Amino acid sequence: MDLKGQLDRFKKQQERCQSTLSSINASRAPSVPSRPSSSSVPAATSLKPTPPVKFSNDTERLQFINSIRKGPVGAQMKRVIELLFETRQAFTPEQINERCYVDMLSNKAVFDSLRNNPKVYYDGRRFSYKAKHDVKDKNQLLSLIKKYPAGIAAVDLKDAYPNVMDDLQALKASKHIWFLSNADSQEDIAYPNDFKGQIEVDDEFKSLFRDIDIPSDLLDVEKELQKNGLKPVMNTAQRRAAAQIQGVSNKPKQKKKKQEISKRTKLTNAHLPELFQNLNASSSRN
């Protein structure tokens, strides 16, 4: 076939393809849609589309939260109690999870332990801190201390409310209470100061009290107590007799004389010259 014949054949094929495409486009032409009524439009079309969920890339934070939830029950309880103590607010388990990442709803051991903890109050829905004494301010604190004439330990009041120690010092400064230390336990004890019990003592009685000569020997003190119908707490005579039977001397032990450094002492701390001042002084005297 010559070149002209091939061109004619190619043109005919293009014409057939063009006509086929035209017929296809004509059959797919869209019809004019009727305008829908407002009642037929679904309600969801009026709402804005919800944004896609974005997953956090904060790996360290997620690892920290996971380490808390995988930690011991006691450690998780400590975090919750610290939250309740510092805020003095009531929280639901969901709110606790948001604040300190302790998922109590997924950990029954933590939930039950906190519910039965003496420092936690649970009303059936929320958890809150439970102090030993329910006082909220300085006036209530003073009323509580007045109920304890024999004194109340400050350690029992420290968790009442955040600035309770400042209020104790203020009550002490205003002389509403006495704030003293126990000689045995070294604990601070708060005593109510009853202004009705204050009396004035004459200087004559004060001087008589100060002029009383108290014997230096405990045995003489016990004899004087017995003369006045009082029973001594200790029996010094009996204790001394028992000590003599056991061969224990009543004389105080003499302290050993501190050995001084001499010239013949082997020096191992020559890099500390201040230790050998006595040696230098004695050498200069000799």
Side-chain angles (χ1 to χ4, degrees), residues 13 20 23 25 47 62 78 89 108 132 134 140 145 150-151 157 204 213 228 243 254:
Q13 289 178 350
T20 303
S23 61
N25 290 333
L47 300 176
L62 295 177
K78 183 175 181 293
Q89 298 178 9
K108 188 175 183 298
K132 185 170 184 179
D134 187 18
Q140 294 182 6
I145 296 175
L157 301 170
E204 181 182 358
D213 186 16
N228 291 276
Q254 294 182 353

Side-chain angles (χ1 to χ4, degrees), residues 213-224 236-237 240:
D213 186 16
I214 300 177
S216 58
D217 192 348
L218 287 176
L219 190 60
D220 296 333
V221 174
E222 292 176 2
K223 289 180 180 178
E224 292 294 331
T236 304
R240 289 180 180 177

Side-chain angles (χ1 to χ4, degrees), residues 6 10 16 19 27 56 75 81 90 100-103 143 151 154 182 190 195 240 245 262 265-266:
Q6 291 179 355
F10 178 73
R16 283 196 299 268
S19 62
S27 63
S56 174
I81 293 176
C100 63
Y101 308 121
V102 176
D103 190 3
S143 299
N182 191 318
F195 294 100
R240 289 180 180 177
I245 293 173
S262 63
T265 304
K266 185 178 179 181

Side-chain angles (χ1 to χ4, degrees), residues 86-106:
E86 293 172 359
T87 60
R88 301 304 174 104
Q89 298 178 9
F91 294 101
T92 63
E94 294 83 2
Q95 292 171 334
I96 291 174
N97 187 16
E98 293 176 0
R99 297 291 293 267
C100 63
Y101 308 121
V102 176
D103 190 3
M104 298 168 54
L105 297 179
S106 300

